[in-house]
Amino acid sequence: MEPASVPSVMAKAARKACSVSPFVQSAAAQATAPFAKEEGGRKPAKHDESLTVSLQSLRYPERFYAVSNSYLAFMRIITKHISSTFRVHEIRALTALTLFCLLTGMGFSSCASKRLPPPAEPERRFSPVSEALKVDLFFDATLSMQGFVRTPENSYYQRMIPLLERGVIEGWRGGEASFYEFGDDIAPLPGRDYLDAARPTFYSNSKYNKKTFIERVIDRAQLDHLTIIITDLFQDNADVNQLSEKLKQKFIVNNLAVGVMAVRSQYLGVVYDVGAENYSFGYTSKEKPETGRPFYLLAFGSHANIAHYFATLGNSGLNAFPEKHVLILSSFLTSEPSPFTSTKLKIADKLSEISSSNVFARNYSGEQVKAFKITKGQAKAKFSTDWAYQPLPDGLDHSSELTPIIQGWKGEDTGARELFPSENLQALKALTITAKLLPENAPYDRLQVAGDINVVNFPSAGLYFYRILLRPARYSLPHWVAVWNMGEGEIEKWHLHPADFDGSKTYNLENFLGTLQGAVLNTTPPEVSEIYCYIRVDK
Amino acid sequence: MDKLKHIGLIVGMAFVFFIFALLIIYVEDPFLDSKVTTGANILMDEWRQLFRYWAVFGISTAVLAALIWYAWGQWTVNLNDWTKANKKRIVWLLFLLLPCCAFLMGWLLTPPIQEGAIFVTAFYLANNLAVYLLATVFFSPSSFKYTPWGAVTLRRGW
């Protein structure tokens, strides 16, 4: 069939419109104008003569009606024009192509996979230094401590005493320091009385100077305060076990830390209660700092507050003391969570990293997640990455090898909006993680993680989710602890030759700190990193 | 009539572009998501965004080449006899260089991938050539409507 000519179609539309209103006549006439020229200057239709109708005379409903009809007429003209310009099979081909695109696109869009909930917030978070803090300081008032203040010159112990309050005032804007003396009992030291601890008379009170009951101080300590005990730490085996247990129950299980600042000071006096037989030895330190007798600041509170207090003391003057060590036993090895998400992969073989928003059903702002996609047909895939690692200063000493503890889940579709994470032992076989700290010996500054994925071991296609805890394979006490420790075997020799007594060591120090470290590792094992891997597998 | 005809043909070219843009976003991109392995240094999402960018750049160049071809044929040459138009096929082929260059740019500037590169190459090439071909086969000026390859078959009798 011959397609209708465009001008004749437009003329028809105009004639139809003519029966409606003069306004429509005008519109239709304007629409046909260009075509009239093409048809060889054919005479305009006679109804064109009646186009001089004032639009003002139209009432609003009529005008609306007229405009609608004019629009419909125009659309009809356009449609006819298209049908006259293109052949039917061309229009069909284009329509088919359009429909194919839209339908396939809709098909792909509807295939959007369900997602898993993001990982839960970590149970333990490193709390920052408190804005304001109450610090309770307890002086060991037993007789053994007297030797620190009987030296001819101002000993390091004596020089340290005024710094204790200064450390609190300088360390915290709203810091409050309270002082106590303890031994057989505990008594407050009001006002500036604590400065008496620099005089021998302070240690002469028979009410306090017999036995060092540190455990009583621990009982009295408040968890929201920072508690500091200044002592020579002479404890027998029974004391050590009791003390460690108390510290564990009071502080460690509550995610608090135990800090030790060990300082060697000049000494002139008698050391009491040495060894199981409670021997007493006179001791005078020599000029060499390493011959000084150790005293300790035991600190109980949050890791950040302890570290901040020790750092403030150091800056106030303690850093000038030649023989000084710090150890903080806590469940934290680093204060910063791993920046796993933003770390670039060094190796990614047979897998693609995808944005975690592709696998999370909800928003997640953490930095511990990486999401991967493994396409169909892969048997093995692997990735590796490393990032800067910042260990907390004076923390637990540990090996560079790390032990990964992996838990695996598969996202199960239960019909809900998001997948349900179901623990999957089979999925555990699919992921092997190896991790280590670099360089090989401390101080470590990088953490390297590599993952080997055995795709065949995934039970089926789907979305898998792994929680990976990286813990040091081995821990050890710092080297100075063994050097400063007084062994049982030496005590019997010194009993026979008292002049050989080495007062630069502390009885049972290694046992005490080792037991405390064990309590921390068993109760709240520290992590180098906690990371999550989401893997979408096509099989 | 002339004005409407030109508008109609140019809108037709835009329509071809639009169809291929839809094809890229809703068909090719999700298909590549299931085939491509990016490896290290780039997220799959970033790679896909770059693919879409260069694919759309390619078809934009192709439709631009078709528009220039249209403008050249309609307003520069002023040819009345379509039987002489076949001599101008060399010009049509020259304009084809534009989508080919766009293909090369996309192919070179899209970050390398471990697997699925063959599909990416095929999509870039097919998109650019198809847009230019379809836009010129269906929407060339009257005098040149049989100049593009395949137009004689597709537009026979019209």
Side-chain angles (χ1 to χ4, degrees):
Chain A
M1 197 181 83
E2 195 61 30
S5 78
V6 173
S8 63
V9 170
M10 295 202 74
K12 261 189 203 172
R15 275 196 293 279
K16 259 192 179 177
C18 182
S19 63
V20 176
S21 77
F23 175 78
V24 181
Q25 288 172 13
S26 161
Q30 281 172 21
T32 44
F35 298 96
K37 191 185 171 192
E38 197 182 74
E39 280 203 340
R42 199 177 64 183
K43 261 190 173 180
K46 58 183 172 186
H47 51 257
D48 287 357
E49 290 159 14
S50 61
L51 292 180
T52 53
V53 177
S54 165
L55 290 175
Q56 299 297 326
S57 65
L58 288 169
R59 285 205 300 269
Y60 285 108
E62 280 175 338
R63 192 182 293 175
F64 173 75
Y65 187 63
V67 170
S68 310
N69 275 296
S70 170
Y71 173 74
L72 287 173
F74 183 74
M75 288 309 292
R76 240 174 265 136
I77 290 160
I78 293 292
T79 315
K80 287 280 181 186
H81 174 62
I82 290 171
S83 64
S84 64
T85 310
F86 302 105
R87 294 179 67 83
V88 175
H89 71 269
E90 289 168 353
I91 294 170
R92 277 185 189 157
L94 284 172
T95 312
L97 184 62
T98 315
L99 283 174
F100 169 77
C101 290
L102 290 174
L103 290 174
T104 326
M106 281 163 68
F108 272 107
S109 309
S110 64
C111 284
S113 314
K114 283 190 178 180
R115 297 158 187 207
L116 273 165
E121 289 291 309
E123 289 163 19
R124 281 182 282 164
R125 270 194 183 281
F126 187 83
S127 52
V129 176
S130 306
E131 289 288 315
L133 189 66
K134 287 183 175 166
V135 184
D136 300 323
L137 298 108
F138 294 82
F139 283 99
D140 181 348
T142 54
L143 269 177
S144 290
M145 298 292 289
Q146 201 174 41
F148 289 114
V149 296
R150 290 181 63 190
T151 52
E153 77 272 43
N154 205 12
S155 71
Y156 290 131
Y157 178 81
Q158 285 167 306
R159 282 196 252 167
M160 183 262 316
I161 289 167
L163 300 179
L164 293 172
E165 188 174 20
R166 196 172 139 191
V168 177
I169 293 164
E170 285 181 3
W172 289 270
R173 193 180 288 270
E176 274 180 47
S178 307
F179 291 89
Y180 304 85
E181 61 179 323
F182 80 96
D184 304 74
D185 203 357
I186 300 170
L189 295 167
R192 310 287 286 171
D193 284 4
Y194 76 92
L195 293 173
D196 289 343
R199 298 189 188 101
T201 48
F202 182 83
Y203 305 92
S204 305
N205 190 338
S206 59
K207 201 176 162 190
Y208 301 105
N209 70 0
K210 303 270 183 327
K211 201 77 176 125
T212 314
F213 285 124
I214 295 180
E215 54 271 27
R216 288 192 186 164
V217 176
I218 293 164
D219 285 339
R220 195 186 164 121
Q222 294 182 59
L223 294 181
D224 56 339
H225 290 199
L226 177 63
T227 304
I228 308 284
I229 299 175
I230 303 107
T231 177
D232 61 358
L233 204 57
F234 258 63
Q235 305 279 308
D236 62 28
N237 281 334
D239 290 341
V240 163
N241 293 333
Q242 197 185 359
L243 189 56
S244 304
E245 187 57 28
K246 274 204 177 286
L247 289 172
K248 179 180 156 182
Q249 294 304 333
K250 181 120 188 184
F251 297 104
I252 295 167
V253 295
N254 286 309
N255 222 13
L256 293 171
V258 177
V260 180
M261 181 184 265
V263 182
R264 271 183 174 148
S265 172
Q266 299 87 338
Y267 190 84
L268 172 61
V270 180
V271 182
Y272 297 92
D273 300 330
V274 180
E277 301 298 325
N278 293 332
Y279 297 128
S280 299
F281 297 99
Y283 183 68
T284 305
S285 60
K286 312 277 184 313
E287 272 186 25
K288 285 185 178 175
E290 58 267 30
T291 62
R293 189 168 174 238
F295 71 89
Y296 301 87
L297 268 69
L298 298 181
F300 312 111
S302 81
H303 189 124
N305 285 338
I306 292 173
H308 184 63
Y309 185 62
F310 284 170
T312 313
L313 283 182
N315 294 334
S316 303
L318 254 68
N319 282 344
F321 294 5
E323 286 280 305
K324 179 178 77 74
H325 297 284
V326 174
L327 173 65
I328 302 175
L329 303 167
S330 87
S331 56
F332 297 99
L333 296 173
T334 179
S335 60
E336 297 296 324
S338 296
F340 190 43
T341 305
S342 52
T343 305
K344 290 250 178 205
L345 291 176
K346 286 271 163 70
I347 296 171
D349 191 27
K350 308 289 182 197
L351 55 76
S352 307
E353 187 188 349
I354 55 175
S355 164
S356 53
S357 59
N358 291 301
V359 293
F360 289 157
R362 280 170 268 143
N363 282 344
Y364 174 73
S365 56
E367 270 284 309
Q368 289 84 60
V369 176
K370 266 201 189 295
F372 300 105
K373 185 182 175 72
I374 300 174
T375 53
K376 209 177 271 188
Q378 311 293 357
K380 281 180 187 288
K382 63 180 175 184
F383 69 87
S384 88
T385 183
D386 61 59
W387 59 86
Y389 173 69
Q390 277 189 308
L392 285 165
D394 309 313
L396 290 162
D397 278 7
H398 55 82
S399 63
S400 61
E401 300 105 278
L402 302 175
T403 305
I405 295 144
I406 309 175
Q407 285 174 282
W409 292 267
K410 183 179 190 291
E412 300 286 359
D413 193 351
T414 55
R417 271 183 60 203
E418 53 188 59
L419 296 172
F420 175 76
S422 156
E423 201 145 8
N424 193 304
L425 293 175
Q426 177 75 18
L428 280 178
K429 293 178 187 166
L431 179 67
T432 310
I433 294 284
T434 45
K436 64 177 176 182
L437 290 164
L438 298 171
E440 207 163 306
N441 296 310
Y444 308 116
D445 56 16
R446 289 200 84 73
L447 171 55
Q448 190 179 69
V449 176
D452 277 295
I453 302 167
N454 198 343
V455 185
V456 184
N457 284 344
F458 284 112
S460 59
L463 183 56
Y464 294 85
F465 156 43
Y466 295 92
R467 179 186 186 222
I468 302 151
L469 294 176
L470 301 174
R471 289 184 178 143
R474 290 181 304 281
Y475 289 91
S476 59
L477 286 170
H479 177 65
W480 66 267
V481 175
V483 176
W484 287 34
N485 183 59
M486 185 184 285
E488 194 72 47
E490 294 168 301
I491 295 169
E492 287 307 319
K493 284 183 203 165
W494 292 331
H495 180 58
L496 297 173
H497 307 282
D500 294 343
F501 176 69
D502 183 1
S504 68
K505 297 182 175 186
T506 303
Y507 177 59
N508 250 334
L509 177 69
E510 200 166 11
N511 185 15
F512 172 65
L513 293 178
T515 311
L516 262 186
Q517 181 182 263
V520 170
L521 299 183
N522 292 328
T523 315
T524 51
E527 288 137 21
V528 165
S529 178
E530 178 180 0
I531 53 173
Y532 298 87
C533 285
Y534 283 67
I535 306 176
R536 194 180 280 287
V537 184
D538 286 345
K539 278 188 106 176
Chain B
M1 167 62 187
D2 276 354
K3 243 186 212 171
L4 261 184
K5 193 176 176 183
H6 296 321
I7 290 169
L9 291 169
I10 289 166
V11 166
M13 288 185 182
F15 180 70
V16 172
F17 169 83
F18 175 70
I19 293 298
F20 273 81
L22 286 181
L23 202 70
I24 288 164
I25 292 163
Y26 292 110
V27 181
E28 295 175 5
D29 180 43
F31 175 80
L32 288 177
D33 184 46
S34 64
K35 294 288 173 195
V36 163
T37 300
T38 56
N41 297 325
I42 190 162
L43 283 182
M44 185 67 176
D45 311 63
E46 290 166 359
W47 186 90
R48 283 173 63 185
Q49 201 175 353
L50 283 170
F51 165 76
R52 288 195 297 265
Y53 174 82
W54 285 112
V56 171
F57 172 80
I59 61 168
S60 306
T61 312
V63 86
L64 182 73
L67 283 169
I68 298 171
W69 157 257
Y70 186 92
W72 176 83
Q74 185 63 46
W75 292 294
T76 311
V77 183
N78 278 330
L79 197 69
N80 293 324
D81 186 358
W82 67 266
T83 53
K84 295 174 185 169
N86 269 351
K87 292 172 187 168
K88 304 292 181 192
R89 180 164 287 162
I90 190 76
V91 180
W92 180 80
L93 284 170
L94 276 175
F95 284 123
L96 186 61
L97 283 177
L98 267 174
C100 289
C101 288
F103 157 72
L104 273 178
M105 274 182 77
W107 190 71
L108 290 171
L109 296 175
T110 307
I113 48 177
Q114 287 178 357
E115 285 175 3
I118 186 80
F119 297 108
V120 183
T121 311
F123 282 144
Y124 278 152
L125 196 61
N127 290 343
N128 295 7
L129 295 183
V131 167
Y132 182 70
L133 194 69
L134 288 176
T136 52
V137 161
F138 285 111
F139 308 106
S140 281
S142 308
S143 312
F144 293 95
K145 64 182 182 181
Y146 295 129
T147 308
W149 283 332
V152 178
T153 319
L154 283 165
R155 300 185 75 171
R156 191 169 40 209
W158 167 53

